[in-house]
Amino acid sequence: VLSKELRTGTPSASLQSNRSMAHTIAAVEATVMDKVPVKTALVSVYDKAGIDDLGKFLAAKGVHILSTGGTAAKLRELGCTVQDVAEYTGSPEILDGRVKTLHPKVHGGLLAARGNAKHEAEMVQHGIRPIDLVIVNLYPFAQAVAKGGDFATCIENIDIGGPCMVRASAKNNAGVCIATSPAQYAGLMQQMNENDGCTTYDFRKNMAAAAYALTASYDSAVSGWLAGEVTSPPSTHSIAFQVERPLKYGCNPHQLPAALCSVGGGKMPFSVVAGIPGYINLLDAINAWQLVYELAQATGKPAAASFKHVSPAGAAIGLPLTEDEVIAYEVSGKELTPVALAYVRARNADPMCSFGDFVAISHEVDLATANILKIEVSDGIIAPGYTAEALAILQAKKGGKFIVLQADASYVPPDREYRMVGGVGFMQKRNATIFTKDHLQQVKTKKTELPESAQLDLILASVAIKYTQSNSVGYAKGGMMVGVGAGQQSRVDCVKLAGRKVSTWRLRFHPKVMGLKFKDGVKRQDRVNARVRYIEGDMAEAERVEWEKNFETPPAALTAEEKEQFVGALDGVAISSDAFFPFRDSIDHASKLGVKFVAQPGGSVADAEVIAACDTYGMTMAFTDLRLFHH
């Protein structure tokens, strides 16, 4: 478990003074033995999973057990020698069980330093038995919160005695071994079998480290919940990260260790069905899934996204294809369900950039969609479910290395997000706003018409750029992104970058491009790349020689005039910006690409200038009052 702590505010003068006056407590004299025989164990577990095998094992080893309540009864059934803690301490369980093990005879047995003559004399004096092994797990506080328990119920599920015993035994790891999870029982039994009923010092230290990680996580969950229940929350935020899956490396091979973690002991938002996902795969998957989940909610249609390096190369909803689109996207004769249509459109926004993408689908992946994916070069997919036939195809892709993740559509991410950059912690409220038609009501231009198709395109573009590295601008038409401009410092550069992609998309329908005659055997992605280079036309001579090998006869060039005329006929395009347009130049450029519908937050000192530009070109523009920066 990793713990991230964020402190806000300036320490008070008294606190700074206390820090300067603080001193370190000297170590207590003790003898550290490598092997400590387990003669007495304290067992008090809420989760009784695995206790049968462990109880029988301890009984076979002749271990004297101190225990309480239901745990004691269960262990007696298994043949263990059990002494009730109440009998051992001479104090009954009181206060509805709130006080069971909080007693000097328990904690003295946990904290007494082995080999310390003074401690040993005091133990004899007070009738304290040394405890060699502690088996404890904690009340299910997080589950009580997750079930919607009221304040009193959640408070009652905060364990007190358990964490005290865990911390005490972990501190005294020189002589005491602590196990806090059924997952540790097999290792504990193996350790004792291999060491004649003893635990080794190295093993005890490892178990102590895990124990403190557990209490840190547990306290983090309690403090986080309680902070949300008070009027003056604390300025310290503790977030526990539980390593769920080690990763090969981080962003780069030299960035080790790396891992995928759950947050605060909560459930994961997805499961790994097939393949071995990497760090960037997972970043793409998580962002892409949020995009398609929100897009499906906002439009009521199946949604798909094609992600590369934490930005969408394309995104779309499941609308039918035109005859030309079927030909240009090379899906003639294929079954095209609404889900398959969404992915075909998403992949074909920018098929060159989508090479090796990570796919997200909002709905169950069907056979038709799997058959489309089967022929594309892609790293993986995340979706809420898969039909049996679709899953079989995907699991066989890339020789079984294709990554298949199953999203939990019911999962709701935490309200707050935390990250660390350069040793500094950041916290913010998650951007949970879902862009809908309601954000398109403030039309500021003379032209006010926003047909249903335009509204869908503006919603699509806005949701897509919400998950695109800023600055970002996105063009959409016909239910698909046709140009995404990501990560530029200048907004007009975003417009131009995305606009170049719009031009390329549009020119893929030019008769010369659609009529290119490839040699037999030219691979699908090579055809995609060859068409794009034909459209761009800026090949060096050596490149052109290689490019022409794709064709039986070298094609005639697509001239600048032909390109300009064909792109100039484009109409009805929608554009959305993640922040306001600071100048009219973005609108001037967008007008060359058939843009007729605009969505942007507004709020610039140049708003009047931008509105006037839209009016000049007959555009309808809505102010959304919603900035969508994503970093």
Side-chain angles (χ1 to χ4, degrees):
V1 176
L2 309 174
S3 181
K4 284 169 55 175
E5 190 173 86
L6 174 67
R7 292 184 179 275
T8 58
T10 303
S12 64
S14 61
L15 179 56
Q16 291 174 327
S17 175
N18 288 340
R19 285 175 178 170
S20 66
M21 295 172 61
H23 63 278
T24 302
I25 299 172
V28 172
E29 179 186 345
T31 300
V32 178
M33 296 184 295
D34 180 39
K35 293 187 177 182
V36 174
V38 177
K39 298 178 180 179
T40 300
L42 173 58
V43 184
S44 180
V45 293
Y46 186 90
D47 178 2
K48 294 177 175 54
I51 201 67
D52 286 22
D53 289 341
L54 181 61
K56 292 173 185 176
F57 176 82
L58 295 176
K61 294 291 183 183
V63 176
H64 182 85
I65 294 177
L66 300 173
S67 190
T68 60
T71 306
K74 180 66 175 177
L75 291 170
R76 287 192 181 97
E77 291 176 10
L78 297 170
C80 296
T81 302
V82 181
Q83 182 179 14
D84 283 321
V85 167
E87 177 192 341
Y88 166 64
T89 62
S91 296
E93 294 183 13
I94 59 173
L95 308 180
D96 292 318
R98 284 188 170 193
V99 179
K100 301 176 185 175
T101 57
L102 296 170
H103 194 280
K105 291 188 72 172
V106 172
H107 286 271
L110 297 177
L111 288 166
R114 311 296 170 98
N116 182 305
K118 180 174 179 293
H119 284 204
E120 290 176 350
E122 290 177 349
M123 290 176 73
V124 172
Q125 178 185 353
H126 297 290
I128 297 174
R129 183 177 192 133
I131 298 171
D132 312 301
L133 172 65
V134 177
I135 311 291
V136 171
N137 52 55
L138 310 180
Y139 291 172
F141 171 78
Q143 291 90 323
V145 174
K147 289 179 180 178
D150 60 20
F151 186 82
T153 299
C154 292
I155 287 291
E156 203 58 41
N157 277 274
I158 298 174
D159 203 326
I160 302 301
C164 289
M165 290 187 288
V166 170
R167 291 174 59 85
S169 50
K171 174 175 180 174
N172 201 23
N173 58 77
V176 183
C177 183
I178 170 66
T180 57
S181 167
Q184 297 173 322
Y185 296 169
L188 171 64
M189 290 186 283
Q190 180 181 352
Q191 166 80 180
M192 291 175 63
N193 275 332
E194 292 175 352
N195 293 280
D196 298 320
C198 299
T199 59
T200 63
Y201 187 37
D202 184 63
F203 183 79
R204 294 193 300 275
K205 285 194 295 181
N206 285 333
M207 297 291 271
Y212 276 121
L214 172 68
T215 56
S217 175
Y218 195 84
D219 286 342
S220 170
V222 173
S223 65
W225 167 78
L226 194 54
E229 300 290 322
V230 298
T231 56
S232 182
S235 60
T236 297
H237 299 234
S238 295
I239 309 298
F241 281 59
Q242 172 70 45
V243 174
E244 299 289 345
R245 188 182 186 92
L247 301 176
K248 187 176 180 181
Y249 50 78
C251 280
N252 300 292
H254 63 276
Q255 290 180 262
L256 286 167
L260 174 68
C261 304
S262 59
V263 179
K267 65 178 182 177
M268 295 291 287
F270 59 85
S271 59
V272 179
V273 178
I276 303 174
Y279 191 94
I280 296 174
N281 292 144
L282 291 166
L283 289 176
D284 282 342
I286 293 164
N287 279 278
W289 166 248
Q290 292 179 98
L291 189 162
V292 299
Y293 179 80
E294 292 184 15
L295 185 54
Q297 279 193 304
T299 63
K301 300 181 184 298
S306 169
F307 255 66
K308 287 285 292 291
H309 291 283
V310 206
S311 281
I317 53 179
L319 298 181
L321 300 176
T322 66
E323 291 183 10
D324 280 351
E325 286 174 327
V326 168
I327 296 169
Y329 302 158
E330 295 193 11
V331 291
S332 297
K334 297 187 180 298
E335 182 187 4
L336 295 172
T337 61
V339 174
L341 285 165
Y343 179 62
V344 168
R345 286 190 174 281
R347 176 84 183 198
N348 280 280
D350 188 350
M352 178 180 280
C353 285
S354 284
F355 180 80
D357 64 347
F358 208 98
V359 181
I361 305 288
S362 63
H363 288 52
E364 182 182 64
V365 176
D366 53 24
L367 179 60
T369 307
N371 279 328
I372 296 292
L373 264 165
K374 182 180 179 179
I375 61 175
E376 302 288 9
V377 178
S378 179
D379 280 353
I381 183 172
I382 183 169
Y386 305 85
T387 65
E389 300 92 340
L391 184 58
I393 289 172
L394 297 175
Q395 286 179 315
K397 187 174 170 65
K398 296 179 68 174
K401 294 182 179 179
F402 187 71
I403 301 161
V404 180
L405 307 179
Q406 183 156 339
D408 179 354
S410 68
Y411 177 83
V412 179
D415 187 55
R416 292 183 181 180
E417 296 177 329
Y418 298 82
R419 68 189 298 189
M420 188 166 66
V421 179
V424 178
F426 292 86
M427 176 194 72
Q428 67 173 358
K429 183 183 185 298
R430 181 173 65 89
N431 186 358
T433 300
I434 295 179
F435 194 101
T436 68
K437 292 178 181 180
D438 292 342
H439 292 95
L440 300 174
Q441 301 306 306
Q442 293 188 64
V443 176
K444 299 293 184 178
T445 47
K446 292 177 181 177
K447 188 174 181 180
T448 60
E449 294 82 9
L450 266 179
E452 180 73 16
S453 60
Q455 292 184 52
L456 284 175
D457 284 342
L458 287 172
I459 291 169
L460 164 61
S462 299
V463 175
I465 61 171
K466 178 183 174 183
Y467 291 100
T468 301
Q469 298 299 301
S470 294
N471 287 314
S472 66
V473 164
Y475 296 77
K477 180 175 171 61
M480 64 184 285
M481 299 304 295
V482 293
V484 178
Q488 302 302 302
Q489 289 73 31
S490 164
R491 187 148 306 277
V492 72
D493 280 347
C494 291
V495 173
K496 291 177 179 178
L497 172 61
R500 179 171 62 81
K501 295 175 182 286
V502 174
S503 295
T504 300
W505 170 79
R506 167 65 174 165
L507 288 166
R508 285 162 59 201
F509 298 95
H510 192 283
K512 280 189 171 181
V513 179
M514 294 184 72
L516 288 172
K517 303 297 183 183
F518 289 94
K519 290 180 179 178
D520 291 340
V522 176
K523 294 181 179 179
R524 181 182 180 85
Q525 191 62 42
D526 290 333
R527 295 194 299 271
V528 167
N529 296 346
R531 291 188 187 104
V532 172
R533 294 303 289 132
Y534 178 63
I535 290 166
E536 292 171 340
D538 57 348
M539 289 178 272
E541 185 57 32
E543 181 187 0
R544 181 174 295 279
V545 170
E546 292 300 313
W547 176 79
E548 288 179 347
K549 292 179 181 178
N550 290 296
F551 309 96
E552 293 290 348
T553 302
L558 185 61
T559 67
E561 293 76 15
E562 288 172 322
K563 294 179 190 178
E564 183 177 358
Q565 182 180 12
F566 197 75
V567 172
L570 187 58
D571 194 22
V573 177
I575 188 173
S576 182
S577 175
D578 65 358
F580 61 65
F581 291 115
F583 305 101
R584 66 169 288 156
D585 52 3
S586 292
I587 302 299
D588 291 324
H589 189 81
S591 71
K592 303 173 187 177
L593 297 160
V595 169
K596 285 294 182 282
F597 308 103
V598 183
Q600 60 133 327
S604 167
V605 295
D607 277 351
E609 174 186 325
V610 172
I611 293 169
C614 288
D615 287 337
T616 298
Y617 298 115
M619 297 178 184
T620 301
M621 181 171 66
F623 278 8
T624 66
D625 287 337
L626 181 67
R627 197 175 80 174
L628 293 169
F629 277 169
H630 184 62
H631 291 287

